[in-house]
């Protein structure tokens, strides 16, 4: 999995765009979305009018012209800094999305036009941008797939490295759960017909691009609540500053408009106000960098709240597929016979399990005569179905007519079946035969050790049991431990029997499992958890996962999955990596933490700013209040300037943090709160004292 | 000085010792089934309660949602207002008026009715001459009981929302209201009143007595059925005294023992209610954290005031005069500086507003601490309403710290979202808004139209111009907004401007902070309960307490920093 992350936060060309955007965003109609910065803009306009008035009238009761010009400029720069934060986040997100989109733009598409009722197929070549929903196009070896869609005919190997970074080609075919193709990927072999499933401009990627654009971005519920709180803080400080004027008048202490507006701008939470939308956009961007396309910001945020995580065993917890490790013949059956039957039943079986049985049989440990005589000519393949829960083969007896058929059964067809213990038992017992107790015992033993027993029967007589073993992915235990520390309960979903499931669940360290799972079991489990107030996430790819994906609070569909699954989920994982949910959960948490910590930092800053500005307002007429000037700042003017400058430059200083996000550590909520409170609360308390004092020392040199 | 200190420590220690069992008892009272006995010691009152429900046409078993409960609360308050207003208006011609006191004028009756209705007890009259025994007991004392019970009942509605099993319905306001009176306020008042009566507080309907002084002057001494009213005045965080000078009066507060009893009564129920929360919703640790935050805040306000009072007035010290008893201006010699400072902080912390010394005469630091106490209004706070104020800060703290741990904020299993934040923000803003805006209007009026043709010219409002005068105005509005009722005095406040503006502040400062938290509670209760997991932020930890404290300090305290700097702080630094 190659992450497409850029090493630098501030790439040159992005910075250029962002600076231009910072000015465009000064438009009050745009800025009003951010109440905190909007009030700063109003303050700046007032200051500008005051400055013009002073310049024209020469009246210096409001302070010198130079001082007022400087304050106006700093306020203006404060807004620019905030706009820049949003613009750079937007630019980064767009660049990321564009790099994905570029791959698919303007590729020629071979559209198949159905002409009249003759169903005469004619291929017409048009640019991919003109593809409409419902069109069918053709892709052959070497073609770039022009648009997202679903294969309706054929099978192809496809190189998806442009999207996923994964170089190994994948197979996509019509029908089943792997029928989706993504625009921009390349067909390596074969020929497919693809149905276009999205209108141009409405693909998931287009939706994602909208999420990283400030203007069209929907605010998430938590962001709305925080904006309300920040607006509340802003209002309190409006009251504090507006009422200060008559108070000062009573105390015969004229306060200049510059000082009053400076106090106001310093007190309102400009730091978080300026960075809030950048944080949101950066969160989406981080999701995109993890190759996850979220359909809404809300989905990413909800991921941080997840209580329960449903994971498929196969491919997520264990390495893809089970492998055959042992043959255990039933009592009275010789081993060669049993191995041969097992191998025969699997020869035409394309499943990895089947292949591994043949592989084990051919490994040479069971004598060369076992495999030499294998032939399935004229045989009928019995496919696995959910009802029979077994598969196998029907062989014409004469082809294998060397007396191998069980004596006493004058049948010309040899029926070999392999399947789960209970399904074979039913089959065997229905035929009036006995299911050997020893085989049953062995099967239980295998299951208890986390393996899967596969019973092989020939003409309803048990031949023995094959042991299949799961191999747990390395490092998965650590990931589950991390999830547990985050407070997320992990649930393994598997078709295995409860014993096997339990063994693997324990070995992998998941908290719960659903064994012998049918598609509706997932749905029921999710519903059950949700009734208890839990938020559930799941990952899925098949069409039969779609209802559960829709029901889950966070449903991540694999990009390789069916269109139905992708429509039902609220995220699409381009890497098809089932453990991606863990990263998504962290991105969601990081998003909230970054907002929370910067809010705390911003508000904690107020203490120092009060102590810088309030004495500065009054000491000229009430010298006794010099005692409140605990920072011993030089003069009222330099105190106010230092506070306003500090207030402005803290925004760009925190942009990297806002873009990268505050690190999430799964150390338990209380410990995390203590840690963040210490760093951002105490830090936010102390930093401005130091910053303002230093600025004052510098400014003191000039005035 | 040592004895003084011990007295204060004894008062606080006794309060907490009494509050622990009382909290447990209160929780039991509210948990009880309304129609059957609650299993508490006072079950014999149950028939009386059932009679009250039947007379009032109330079905005690009916569960109501937050809106229905608030409608009940506001309606019944409106009825009391009409009742009180007309009683005061015609008191002169009604019975039980042995001293022949006159009826109140309409504007004074309006002011008095509002002031007692909102549990503020700002008095623009003197009890001895301005009221009759009938109105003292049937209006003033009545309102002191029912307004305290209103606050407590509203608080129980919020408690209910914090229980895990609740959804939508928050219980029945009337039931909590009645029980607060019959099972908590009435029995406690009885005990306190008895102690007061045995120590010399009058409890008679005989009218004025006369004494002959050493100078052979005959002096009429006002009396009346005072002991009972003083008990509920203290217990219900009401504060409106029988006599004009409140608990500084030798008959209202005869000796150090009664002073201790009365002062303990001020904060006993507010502290007990915090403990009751722990028992009621079965989260003792949370209650302890809340108690801890309140206590730290309380002590941080008390100690500066204590040291300022016992070290005396620097202006007098500068004259070379020793002040072994501390700053004694405006204090009672039988009570002393330390006990007066303690009372000053308890009465402002709890929106009680009774006084045993003149706050106007205290040192500037005490003035600052008392105002700050009322500006925060959540360190213990008034009965019931104190917790409601604290609840708003709690919600804000939950929100910020929830974000800091990376989860949608939730409080006791319910998610805190935009609607709750909207209400919490509005209520948090309300208090600074009321205080600062009204003080700004009065300052503006004073400066810009000192000679306005009013009954009392704005220029003559203040006994002191300078910083102290500003403190007087600031204190008056702070006291009104906090429904405290104590006055800094030294302010010409019995005229149209102050009656009107204070009245407005009083009403807004009472009902919105009740409606807001109950609405938040109602909204929270309707949400799905999310069981706690290891990712949930526990709210019963010291760290969370610290966040709550920081939120209170920055929202409530720091917004007033510029105003306090121009008032008591400027005065303090100028005096040094």
């Amino acid at each position: 999995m190659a992450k497409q992350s850029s090493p630098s936060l501030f790439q040159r060309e992005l910075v250029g765009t962002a600076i231009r955007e910072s000015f465009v965003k000064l438009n009050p109609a745009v800025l009003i979305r951010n109440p905190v910065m909007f009030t700063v803009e109003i303050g700046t306009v007032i200051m500008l009018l005051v400055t013009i008035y002073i310049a024209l009238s020469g009246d210096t009761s409001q302070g010198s012209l130079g001082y007022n010009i400087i304050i106006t400029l700093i306020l203006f720069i404060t807004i620019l800094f905030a706009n820049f934060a949003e613009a750079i986040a937007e630019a980064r997100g767009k660049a990321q999305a564009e790099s994905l989109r570029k791959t698919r733009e303007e590729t020629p598409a071979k559209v198949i036009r159905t002409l009249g009722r003759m169903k005469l197929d004619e291929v017409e070549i048009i640019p991919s941008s003109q593809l409409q929903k419902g069109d069918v196009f053709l892709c052959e070896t070497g073609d770039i797939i022009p648009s997202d869609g679903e294969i309706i005919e054929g099978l192809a190997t496809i190189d998806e490295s442009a999207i996923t970074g994964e170089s190994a080609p994948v197979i996509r075919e019509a029908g089943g759960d792997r029928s989706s193709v993504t625009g921009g990927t390349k067909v390596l072999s074969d020929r497919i017909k693809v149905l276009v499933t999205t209108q141009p401009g409405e693909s998931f990627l287009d939706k994602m691009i909208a999420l990283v654009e400030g203007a069209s971005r929907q605010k998430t519920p938590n962001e709305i609540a925080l904006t309300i709180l920040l607006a509340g803080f802003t209002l309190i400080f409006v009251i504090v500053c507006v009422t200060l004027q008559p108070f000062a008048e009573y105390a015969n202490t004229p306060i200049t408009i510059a000082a009053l507006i400076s106090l106001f701008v310093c007190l309102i939470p400009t730091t978080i106000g300026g960075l809030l939308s950048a944080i949101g956009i950066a969160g989406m961007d981080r999701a995109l960098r993890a190759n996850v396309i979220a359909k809404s910001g809300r989905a990413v945020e909800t991921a941080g709240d997840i209580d329960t995580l449903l994971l498929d065993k196969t491919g997520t917890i264990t390495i893809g597929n089970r492998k055959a490790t042992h043959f255990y013949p039933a009592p009275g059956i010789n081993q060669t016979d049993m191995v041969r039957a097992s191998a025969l039943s699997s020869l035409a079986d394309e499943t990895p399990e089947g292949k591994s049985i043949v592989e084990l049989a051919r490994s040479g440990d069971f004598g060369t005569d076992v495999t030499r005589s294998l032939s399935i000519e004229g045989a009928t393949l019995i496919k696995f179905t959910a009802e029979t829960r077994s598969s196998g083969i029907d062989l014409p007896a004469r082809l294998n007519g060397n007396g191998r058929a069980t004596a006493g059964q004058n049948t010309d067809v040899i029926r070999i079946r392999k399947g789960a213990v209970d399904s074979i038992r039913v089959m065997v017992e229905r035929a009036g035969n006995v299911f050997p107790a020893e085989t049953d015992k062995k099967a239980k033993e295998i299951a208890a050790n986390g393996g899967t027993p596969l019973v092989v029967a020939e003409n309803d007589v048990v031949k023995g049991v094959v042991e299949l073993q799961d191999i747990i992915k390395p490092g998965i235990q650590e990931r589950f431990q991390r999830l547990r520390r985050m407070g997320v309960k992990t649930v393994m979903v598997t078709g295995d029997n409860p014993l096997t499931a339990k063994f693997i669940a324990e070995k992998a360290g998941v908290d719960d499992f659903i064994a012998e799972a049918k598609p509706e079991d997932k749905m029921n489990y999710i519903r059950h958890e949700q009734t208890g107030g839990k938020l559930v996430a799941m990952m899925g790819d098949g069409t039969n996962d779609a209802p559960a994906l829709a029901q889950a609070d966070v449903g991540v569909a694999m990009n390789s999955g069916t269109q139905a699954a992708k429509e039902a989920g609220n995220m699409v994982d381009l890497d098809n990596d089932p453990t991606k949910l863990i990263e998504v959960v962290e991105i969601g948490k990081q998003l909230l933490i970054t907002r929370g910590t910067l809010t705390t930092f911003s508000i904690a800053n107020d203490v120092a700013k009060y102590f810088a500005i309030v004495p500065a307002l009054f000491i000229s007429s009430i010298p006794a209040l010099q005692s409140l000037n605990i920072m011993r700042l030089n003069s009222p003017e330099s105190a106010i300037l230092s506070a306003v400058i500090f207030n402005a430059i803290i925004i760009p200083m925190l942009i990297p943090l806002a873009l990268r996000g505050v690190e999430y550590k799964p150390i338990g909520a209380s410990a995390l709160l203590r840690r963040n409170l210490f760093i951002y609360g105490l830090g936010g308390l102390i930093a401005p004292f130091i910053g303002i004092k230093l600025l004052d020392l510098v400014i003191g040199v000039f005035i | 000085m040592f004895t003084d200190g011990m007295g204060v420590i004894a008062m606080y220690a006794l309060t907490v010792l009494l509050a622990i069992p009382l909290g447990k008892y209160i929780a039991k009272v509210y948990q009880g089934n309304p129609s059957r006995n609650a299993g508490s010691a006072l079950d014999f009152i149950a028939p009386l309660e059932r009679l009250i429900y039947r007379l009032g046409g109330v079905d005690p078993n009916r569960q109501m949602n937050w809106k229905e409960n608030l409608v009940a609360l506001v309606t019944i308050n409106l009825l009391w207002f009409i009742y009180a207003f007309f009683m005061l208006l015609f008191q002169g011609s009604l019975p039980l008026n042995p001293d022949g006191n006159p009826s109140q004028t309409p504007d004074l009756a309006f002011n008095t009715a509002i002031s007692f209705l909102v549990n503020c007890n700002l008095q623009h009259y003197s009890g001895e001459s301005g009221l009759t025994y009938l109105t003292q007991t049937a209006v003033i004392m009545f309102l002191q009981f029912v307004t305290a019970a209103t606050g407590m009942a509203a608080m129980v509605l919020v408690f209910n929302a914090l229980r895990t099993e609740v959804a939508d319905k928050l219980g029945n306001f009337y039931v909590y209201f009645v029980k607060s009176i019959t099972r908590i306020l009435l029995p406690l008042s009885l005990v306190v009143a008895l102690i007061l009566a045995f120590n010399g507080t009058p409890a008679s309907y005989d009218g004025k007595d006369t004494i002959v002084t050493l100078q052979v002057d005959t002096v009429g001494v006002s009396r009346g059925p005072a002991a009972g009213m003083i008990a509920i005045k203290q217990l219900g965080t009401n504060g409106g005294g029988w006599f004009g000078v409140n608990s500084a009066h030798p008959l209202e507060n005869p000796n150090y023992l009664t002073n201790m009893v009365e002062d303990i009564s001020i904060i006993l129920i507010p502290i007990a209610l915090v403990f009751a929360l722990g028992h009621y919703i079965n989260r003792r640790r949370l209650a302890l954290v809340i108690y801890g935050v309140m206590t730290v805040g309380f002590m941080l306000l008390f100690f500066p005031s204590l040291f300022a009072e016992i070290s005396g007035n620097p202006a007098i010290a500068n004259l070379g005069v020793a002040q072994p008893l501390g700053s004694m201006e405006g204090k009672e010699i039988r009570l002393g500086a330390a006990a007066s400072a303690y009372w000053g902080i308890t009465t402002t912390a709890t929106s009680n507003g009774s006084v045993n010394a003149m706050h106007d005469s205290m040192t500037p630091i005490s003035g600052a601490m008392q105002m700050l106490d009322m500006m925060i209004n959540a360190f213990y706070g008034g009965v019931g309403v104190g917790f409601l104020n604290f609840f708003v800060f709690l919600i804000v703290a939950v929100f910020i710290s929830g974000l800091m741990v990376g989860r949608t904020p939730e409080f006791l299993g319910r998610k805190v979202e935009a609607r709750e934040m909207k209400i919490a923000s509005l209520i948090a803003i309300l208090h600074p808004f009321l205080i600062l805006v009204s003080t700004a209007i009065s300052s503006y009026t004073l400066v810009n139209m000192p000679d306005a043709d009013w009954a009392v010219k704005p220029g003559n409002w203040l006994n002191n111009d300078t910083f102290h005068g500003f403190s007087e105005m600031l204190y008056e509005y702070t006291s009104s907004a906090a429904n405290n009722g104590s006055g800094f005095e030294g302010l010409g406040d019995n005229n149209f401007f102050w009656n009107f503006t204070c009245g407005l502040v009083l009403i807004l400062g009472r009902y919105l902070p009740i409606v807001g938290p109950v609405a938040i509670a109602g909204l929270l209760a309707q949400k799905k309960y999310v069981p706690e997991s290891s990712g949930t932020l526990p709210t019963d930890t010291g760290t969370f307490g610290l966040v709550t404290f920081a939120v209170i300090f920055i929202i409530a305290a720091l917004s007033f920093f510029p105003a306090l700097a121009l008032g008591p702080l400027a005065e303090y630094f100028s005096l040094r």
Side-chain angles (χ1 to χ4, degrees), chain A residues 222 250 305 307 487 532 610 676, chain B residues 403-404 407-408 466 531 534 558:
Chain A
N222 276 316
Y250 170 88
D305 289 346
D307 301 291
Y610 267 117
N676 286 337
Chain B
L403 289 183
M404 272 206 282
R407 261 178 93 92
T408 297
T466 75
S534 58
L558 276 187

Side-chain angles (χ1 to χ4, degrees), chain B residues 135-402:
Chain B
T135 47
Q136 282 274 30
T137 47
V139 174
I140 301 301
M141 196 164 83
F142 168 75
L143 286 178
Q144 288 182 335
F145 271 103
V146 295
T147 56
T150 299
M152 291 164 81
M155 178 200 67
V156 182
L157 298 178
V158 174
F159 280 10
N160 275 336
L162 306 181
R163 289 161 61 181
T164 53
E165 68 271 27
V166 167
D168 195 21
K169 305 285 188 212
L170 293 183
N172 189 314
F173 168 79
Y174 296 112
V175 171
Y176 301 131
F177 168 74
V178 169
K179 281 187 169 180
S180 302
I181 294 176
T182 56
R183 293 178 189 234
I184 300 166
L185 294 173
L186 212 50
L188 282 174
S189 299
L190 208 61
V191 175
V192 173
L194 279 175
I195 298 174
L196 293 179
F198 283 120
N199 280 280
T201 302
S204 104
Y205 281 93
D206 287 344
K208 273 186 191 159
D209 204 350
T210 50
I211 53 163
V212 180
T213 64
L214 290 175
Q215 292 167 301
V216 210
D217 292 331
T218 305
V219 177
V221 179
S222 290
R223 298 186 301 182
M229 177 195 157
I230 294 165
I232 185 62
K233 163 196 108 179
Q234 297 301 94
L235 285 164
T237 57
N238 292 291
W242 184 277
F243 300 104
V245 293
N246 215 300
S247 284
H249 193 287
L251 292 184
E252 185 145 344
N253 187 9
N255 54 38
Y256 200 89
L257 175 70
T258 58
N259 187 66
M260 282 182 79
V261 171
E262 289 185 15
D263 208 343
I264 289 173
S265 302
I266 291 178
I267 54 169
L268 176 62
I269 297 182
I271 293 181
L273 288 178
V274 177
F275 294 142
L277 167 76
H279 294 289
Y280 191 73
I281 65 170
N282 208 8
R283 291 179 191 265
R284 315 257 164 94
R285 273 180 57 101
L286 176 68
L288 270 182
V289 167
I290 294 176
Y291 169 73
V293 172
M294 290 176 164
T295 305
V296 168
F298 178 82
M299 293 301 169
L300 284 177
L301 293 169
F302 170 58
F303 283 110
S305 173
L306 177 71
F307 290 124
E309 292 310 312
I310 59 179
S311 36
N313 187 336
I316 296 178
N318 290 344
L319 298 175
V321 179
Q323 304 172 80
L325 293 177
S327 168
M328 285 305 291
E329 181 195 320
K331 295 191 180 67
E332 295 296 302
I333 199 76
R334 68 184 188 281
L335 306 174
S340 300
Y342 182 66
W343 186 299
I345 295 298
T346 49
T347 196
T348 47
T350 57
S351 91
N352 185 299
S354 63
V355 291
N356 72 349
M358 287 304 109
H359 289 181
D360 199 23
S361 298
M362 288 199 177
T363 57
I365 283 296
S366 287
M369 293 303 143
Q370 288 160 359
M371 279 191 247
L372 203 50
D373 217 355
M374 293 186 284
M375 287 159 175
I376 292 165
N377 208 19
F379 292 150
Y380 306 137
V383 285
V385 291
F387 176 77
L388 297 185
N389 292 333
F390 193 89
F391 181 67
V392 171
F393 294 125
L394 213 53
I395 292 292
V396 175
V398 158
F399 185 77
I400 293 178
S401 39

Side-chain angles (χ1 to χ4, degrees), chain B residues 29-218:
Chain B
V29 165
Y30 292 131
Q31 266 159 352
N33 186 316
S35 59
R36 262 177 290 126
N37 291 345
S40 74
L42 290 172
D43 281 345
F44 65 89
I45 297 178
L48 173 69
E49 290 167 351
R50 282 198 289 272
L51 181 69
I52 294 171
Y53 298 141
R54 200 170 315 134
L55 287 178
V58 172
D59 174 9
N61 291 313
R62 186 176 160 230
Q63 295 285 304
M64 304 197 285
N65 66 27
W66 65 272
K67 283 179 196 156
E68 293 166 323
N69 274 308
L70 283 177
V71 168
L73 187 153
V74 172
T75 322
I76 199 166
N77 270 263
L78 192 67
L79 278 179
W80 295 331
F81 168 73
I82 295 166
Y83 161 76
F85 177 71
F86 285 104
M87 287 289 277
L88 293 168
L89 203 58
F90 299 116
Q91 63 176 2
S93 15
L94 292 170
L96 279 178
N97 186 6
D99 297 343
N101 290 340
S103 293
Q104 292 197 347
T105 57
D107 63 312
L108 184 60
F110 178 83
N111 182 285
T112 309
I114 287 283
S115 157
F116 279 85
L117 181 74
V118 301
N119 192 262
C120 171
N121 301 196
L122 205 64
Q123 292 162 298
H124 284 179
Y125 62 90
S126 204
E128 299 93 324
S129 53
L131 293 170
T132 68
Y133 290 174
L134 180 72
T135 47
Q136 282 274 30
T137 47
V139 174
I140 301 301
M141 196 164 83
F142 168 75
L143 286 178
Q144 288 182 335
F145 271 103
V146 295
T147 56
T150 299
M152 291 164 81
M155 178 200 67
V156 182
L157 298 178
V158 174
F159 280 10
N160 275 336
L162 306 181
R163 289 161 61 181
T164 53
E165 68 271 27
V166 167
D168 195 21
K169 305 285 188 212
L170 293 183
N172 189 314
F173 168 79
Y174 296 112
V175 171
Y176 301 131
F177 168 74
V178 169
K179 281 187 169 180
S180 302
I181 294 176
T182 56
R183 293 178 189 234
I184 300 166
L185 294 173
L186 212 50
L188 282 174
S189 299
L190 208 61
V191 175
V192 173
L194 279 175
I195 298 174
L196 293 179
F198 283 120
N199 280 280
T201 302
S204 104
Y205 281 93
D206 287 344
K208 273 186 191 159
D209 204 350
T210 50
I211 53 163
V212 180
T213 64
L214 290 175
Q215 292 167 301
V216 210
D217 292 331
T218 305

Side-chain angles (χ1 to χ4, degrees), chain A residues 551-579:
Chain A
Q551 178 73 29
D553 300 282
V554 175
V556 184
M558 305 220 201
N559 196 40
S560 61
T562 59
Q563 194 63 29
K566 289 203 269 189
E567 289 292 344
N570 40 21
M571 290 186 206
V572 177
D573 175 26
L574 297 175
D575 289 337
N576 307 321
D577 172 10
T579 56

